[in-house]
Amino acid sequence: MSAVTFLPNPTESQDLPGRVHLTMPGEIDFCNAADLLPLVLSEVRARGDRLEVLVLDLTETSFMDSQGIRLVNDIRHRLRPGARVRLVARTEGVVSRVLELTGLRRDVPVYDDLAEALAS
């Protein structure tokens, strides 16, 4: 059995073309981060030049270590020029704290509301 126990759940908003929402797993760490990258990039490549905003939804993620930060950075650096990453995370909890401590919040906007992230 693979270390990745989920398949990212892609959702394309009908009202907001160019936006893709991926729900991330409950934990992102050394066990699954490396396997998540090709899954997310596959969803990105499937949209080609139409992708404007990729929203990674971390609201169901209860644990994330430095490998999760690395994953987000790897994703954002592999997007085509002009495409942007947005994160959705609960304001309280480990994930929000990791995003703050690592400084990723300065580089990638973090929202507590999915609709706001998709509209950005």
Side-chain angles (χ1 to χ4, degrees), residues 10-21 47 118:
T11 306
E12 266 187 282
S13 173
Q14 301 298 329
D15 299 327
L16 300 169
R19 268 69 173 157
V20 174
H21 165 233
R47 273 77 180 172
L118 285 167

Side-chain angles (χ1 to χ4, degrees), residues 3 10 14 21 24 33 36 40 59 76 90 101 107:
Q14 301 298 329
H21 165 233
M24 302 305 283
L36 291 172
V40 172
T59 55
R76 72 187 186 102
R90 296 176 193 254
L101 288 172
D107 300 327

Side-chain angles (χ1 to χ4, degrees), residues 10-98:
T11 306
E12 266 187 282
S13 173
Q14 301 298 329
D15 299 327
L16 300 169
R19 268 69 173 157
V20 174
H21 165 233
L22 295 178
T23 301
M24 302 305 283
E27 294 185 3
I28 303 174
D29 57 21
F30 73 96
C31 290
N32 66 355
D35 293 330
L36 291 172
L37 182 61
L39 294 173
V40 172
L41 293 178
S42 175
E43 292 294 331
V44 168
R45 281 191 297 275
R47 273 77 180 172
D49 290 341
R50 298 184 324 252
L51 181 69
E52 296 172 19
V53 176
L54 173 63
V55 176
L56 300 177
D57 188 344
L58 300 167
T59 55
E60 298 300 317
T61 305
S62 60
F63 178 80
M64 183 170 79
D65 65 10
S66 62
Q67 293 303 307
I69 298 302
R70 182 177 180 183
L71 172 67
V72 173
N73 274 322
D74 287 349
I75 291 167
R76 72 187 186 102
H77 287 115
R78 285 178 169 84
L79 294 180
R80 69 166 183 79
R84 302 175 312 270
V85 172
R86 300 293 184 253
L87 303 177
V88 181
R90 296 176 193 254
T91 56
E92 302 295 323
V94 172
V95 172
S96 185
R97 186 77 174 134
V98 168

